[in-house]
């Protein structure tokens, strides 16, 4: 491809609204353009990178027995109602009505549709099955941001496994884990597998693959000593036990004028340090008012509350709802003596005594609270968010927290969808059993952006060779020099014959402009052809990732550079399992 004929609209300046590195560089490099909030066009360079990522994904999923197919993005509402996900995912579903009054949704994921087709499986002899697609998804994100990292329309590879029993699911899950690890290695991102919440997907276990990046939206607790890693939605930790001092034999109420927060009560004369306070939060879980209790110095992680209770709709109570329920405003709330309202407490409050909490009377608190004696706890759950420096639950060493991008997620769905939609087979004894399912997703454009987040410098993108839009750019210093163009064209032909993707920069621009653009768009290898080098029988090779330069004899250049590309792509044959 000749640059003079290509559509590569590079920009000199960053877009004003771009914060993430990948967003800035993909727009500046002419890879993407925004159409509307959360919706992007892929320009030729971006489309080439996307195609290469998709091909790597196909190779690895095919290698573990995947069968590619394609299902519609437009789904009947009724299927989503049957699985209950019109309620659990309704806030992100694009919903529409056709001209005949039919209700439909644009699929953010495809569990329902795959399962519907799996109802045609009738016997255990037809299992296991592994089906996958690479399809457009739609999610009505309320706050799209960071370019391709959080969008409303995107491409996903989603695969689904169908097995007779949990042992078969375990095998398929492990194969996907290995395949995903190879995919991320090949596309040039470091993705750390972490324990995760299954959320609206349901099922038992799930693992996210997180690419460390400040542009991400997932927080991960990680132990460098033993490699324990979990999304904070799922993470646990060990903390020292608090020894409570002796207190009064019964609860005592005392005035606390002006005290509205945990910190206020710490500073108040006769108050208590935060770890000896009970924080009382009021939530509505599927419409039911619920008191949520934590230690004063701990923070609630709402996903843990949702996962632990199985609630679909969860929200904090409004001020007027709090007063109607407890008779006081926030800042004076407590659970002592509350009857007829569900009360859920964090595990760290178990066996605590002589605690302080709100009295459900404005500007008053109570002391001497024995949690087990004075509060009617309905359920104990792990609710608190872990903090950096707390002990690893596996080895006890300090945990670290980092932010990252969710590059992939694999789930053990179990029989949730097969039971809802009637996907059963006859087992060896002739009895009908629900199919055991797994779901495995990986976002294509999100991984494209993650690769940029991990592979860039002050000059632009540094594409891994395997997914670069072009592997070699041939920069002609003087395009009006016939000898230079002859050598450039011959090198391009020889490299393309060897399977190398080549871009020839034949624009009538200054060399500095060409070098700057080549660095911005991140082509891994640059060959510079100019009259001075030709006089010595050489061209200059520059490696984008290291900035190293060297001279190569013209007659050996194509062979040497093709070898560099092959080695960088690590193109050894991959064994089929």
């Amino acid at each position: 491809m000749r640059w003079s004929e290509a559509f590569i609209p590079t920009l000199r300046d960053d877009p004003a609204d771009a914060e993430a590195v990948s967003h800035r560089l993909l727009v500046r490099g002419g890879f993407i353009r925004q159409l509307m909030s959360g919706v992007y066009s892929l320009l030729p360079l971006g489309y080439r990178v996307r195609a290469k990522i998709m091909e790597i994904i196909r190779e690895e999923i095919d290698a573990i027995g995947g069968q590619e197919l394609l299902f519609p993005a437009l789904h009947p509402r009724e299927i989503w109602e049957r699985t209950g996900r019109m309620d659990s995912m309704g806030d992100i579903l694009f919903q529409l009505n056709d001209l005949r009054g039919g209700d439909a949704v644009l699929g953010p994921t495809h569990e329902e549709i795959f399962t519907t087709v799996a109802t045609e499986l009738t016997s255990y002899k037809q299992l296991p099955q592994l089906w996958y697609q690479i399809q457009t998804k739609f999610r009505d994100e309320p706050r799209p941001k960071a370019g391709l990292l959080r969008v409303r329309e995107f491409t996903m590879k989603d695969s689904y496994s169908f097995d007779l029993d949990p042992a078969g699911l375990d095998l398929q899950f492990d194969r996907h884990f290995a395949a995903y690890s190879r995919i991320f290695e090949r596309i040039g991102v470091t993705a750390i597998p972490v324990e995760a919440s299954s959320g609206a997907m349901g099922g038992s276990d799930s693992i996210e693959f997180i690419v460390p990046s400040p542009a991400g939206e997932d927080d991960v607790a990680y132990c460098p000593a033993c490699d324990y890693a979990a999304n904070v939605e799922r993470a646990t930790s060990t903390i020292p036990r608090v020894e409570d001092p002796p207190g009064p034999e019964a609860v005592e109420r005392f005035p606390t004028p002006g005290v509205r927060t945990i910190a206020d009560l710490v500073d108040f004369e006769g108050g208590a340090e935060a770890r000896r306070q009970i924080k009382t939060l009021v939530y509505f879980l599927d419409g039911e008012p619920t008191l949520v209790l934590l230690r004063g110095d701990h923070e609630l992680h709402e996903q843990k509350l949702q996962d632990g209770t199985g609630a679909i709709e969860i929200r904090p109570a409004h001020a007027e709802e709090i007063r109607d329920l407890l008779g006081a405003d926030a800042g004076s709330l407590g659970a002592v003596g509350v009857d007829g309202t569900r009360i859920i407490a964090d595990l760290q409050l178990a066996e605590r005594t002589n605690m302080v909490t709100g009295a459900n009377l404005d500007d008053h608190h109570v002391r001497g609270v024995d949690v087990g004696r004075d509060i009617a706890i309905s359920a104990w759950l792990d609710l608190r968010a872990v903090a950096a420096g707390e002990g690893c639950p596996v080895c006890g060493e300090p945990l670290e927290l980092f932010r990252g991008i969710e590059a992939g997620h694999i789930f053990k769905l179990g029989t949730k969808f097969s039971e809802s939609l009637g996907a059963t087979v006859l087992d060896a004894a002739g009895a009908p059993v629900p199919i055991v399912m797994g779901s495995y997703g990986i976002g294509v454009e999100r991984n494209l952006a993650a690769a940029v987040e991990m592979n860039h410098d002050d000059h632009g993108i540094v594409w891994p060779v395997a997914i670069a839009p072009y592997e070699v750019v041939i920069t002609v210093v003087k395009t009006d020099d016939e000898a230079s163009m002859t050598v450039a064209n011959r090198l391009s032909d020889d490299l393309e014959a060897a399977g190398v993707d080549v871009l020839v920069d034949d624009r009538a621009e200054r060399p500095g402009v060409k070098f700057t653009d080549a660095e911005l768009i991140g082509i891994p290898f640059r060959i510079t052809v100019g009259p001075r080098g030709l006089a010595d029988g050489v061209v200059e090779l520059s490696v984008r990732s290291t900035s190293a330069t060297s001279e190569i004899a013209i007659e050996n250049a194509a062979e040497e550079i093709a070898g560099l590309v092959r080695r960088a792509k690590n193109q050894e044959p991959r064994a089929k399992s």
Side-chain angles (χ1 to χ4, degrees), residues 114-361:
F114 272 79
T115 308
T116 299
V117 175
T119 60
E120 297 192 29
L121 300 170
T122 58
S123 170
Y124 75 97
K125 295 179 181 179
Q126 295 172 279
L127 301 178
Q129 293 284 331
L130 174 57
W131 304 341
Y132 79 97
Q133 65 174 350
I134 301 178
Q135 169 64 300
T136 304
K137 312 289 188 185
F138 300 88
R139 295 187 182 179
D140 194 5
E141 287 282 357
R143 295 176 301 278
K145 66 175 187 177
L148 298 182
L149 291 176
R150 189 194 233 188
V151 292
R152 304 169 77 195
E153 178 182 340
F154 57 98
T155 311
M156 178 182 285
K157 186 287 300 175
D158 49 335
S159 50
Y160 300 84
S161 60
F162 305 90
D163 286 277
L164 181 65
D165 52 34
L169 171 59
D170 290 345
L171 181 60
Q172 299 248 36
F173 192 85
D174 291 345
R175 286 176 174 171
H176 271 86
F177 184 97
Y180 273 40
S181 298
R182 291 191 296 270
I183 288 168
F184 297 127
E185 180 182 2
R186 291 180 66 185
I187 67 177
V189 300
T190 300
I192 299 173
V194 308
E195 298 176 19
S197 164
S198 296
M201 300 291 287
S204 55
D205 300 325
S206 77
I207 291 177
E208 289 176 327
F209 293 83
I210 300 292
V211 177
S213 168
E217 294 187 309
D218 286 83
D219 291 315
V220 173
Y222 174 70
C223 177
C226 71
D227 288 335
Y228 166 80
N231 191 303
V232 292
E233 298 173 346
R234 186 73 178 266
T236 61
S237 63
T238 60
I239 58 176
R241 178 179 175 82
V242 177
E243 296 296 332
D244 294 314
E249 295 183 0
V251 172
E252 297 177 352
R253 190 168 72 188
F254 63 104
T256 52
V259 171
R260 296 291 180 268
T261 66
I262 297 293
D264 288 345
L265 192 57
V266 171
D267 297 334
F268 185 80
E269 184 177 355
E273 59 183 320
R275 64 179 185 166
R276 292 193 50 245
Q277 297 183 45
I278 300 173
K279 179 186 297 182
T280 304
L281 306 174
V282 184
Y283 272 76
F284 277 82
L285 307 181
D286 292 333
E288 179 185 1
T290 303
L291 304 189
V292 180
L293 311 183
L294 297 100
R295 216 169 80 179
D297 57 340
H298 290 164
E299 297 297 326
L300 170 68
H301 199 296
E302 285 191 358
Q303 189 64 52
K304 287 188 173 184
L305 177 61
Q306 188 163 24
D307 290 347
T309 60
I312 294 174
E313 294 184 0
I314 174 173
R315 67 170 178 85
H318 303 308
E320 62 275 13
E321 293 170 329
I322 293 173
R323 175 161 282 280
D324 289 344
L325 181 67
L326 297 177
D329 293 327
S332 301
L333 305 180
V336 174
V338 173
D339 187 29
T341 299
R342 179 162 60 162
I343 302 173
I344 299 174
D346 181 70
L347 297 173
Q348 291 298 322
L349 291 177
E351 301 181 359
R352 294 296 304 277
T353 61
N354 195 21
M355 301 286 284
V356 178
T357 189
N360 290 331
L361 177 65

Side-chain angles (χ1 to χ4, degrees), residues 105-119:
V105 303
L106 293 175
T109 183
H110 273 70
E111 282 75 16
E112 282 81 358
I113 314 308
F114 272 79
T115 308
T116 299
V117 175
T119 60

Side-chain angles (χ1 to χ4, degrees), residues 477-514:
V477 174
K478 303 188 80 171
T479 55
D480 58 355
D481 180 64
E482 183 176 351
S484 294
M485 289 303 301
T486 298
V487 170
N489 290 331
R490 186 171 75 245
L491 282 173
S492 176
D493 291 342
D494 291 346
L495 286 168
E496 289 180 349
V500 177
D501 292 332
V502 181
L503 177 65
V504 178
D505 192 349
D506 61 339
R507 294 175 297 166
E509 293 280 4
R510 292 179 288 107
V513 172
K514 296 183 177 185

Side-chain angles (χ1 to χ4, degrees), residues 479-557:
T479 55
D480 58 355
D481 180 64
E482 183 176 351
S484 294
M485 289 303 301
T486 298
V487 170
N489 290 331
R490 186 171 75 245
L491 282 173
S492 176
D493 291 342
D494 291 346
L495 286 168
E496 289 180 349
V500 177
D501 292 332
V502 181
L503 177 65
V504 178
D505 192 349
D506 61 339
R507 294 175 297 166
E509 293 280 4
R510 292 179 288 107
V513 172
K514 296 183 177 185
F515 296 152
T516 297
D517 278 346
E519 290 185 322
L520 174 61
I521 69 173
I523 306 304
F525 300 102
R526 187 183 78 226
I527 303 171
T528 303
V529 179
R532 185 177 302 173
L534 295 187
D536 296 328
V538 299
V539 293
E540 182 183 81
L541 171 66
S542 298
V543 181
R544 179 69 180 89
S545 60
T546 64
S547 300
T549 61
S550 59
E551 293 183 341
I552 303 177
I554 294 173
E555 62 269 21
N556 300 328

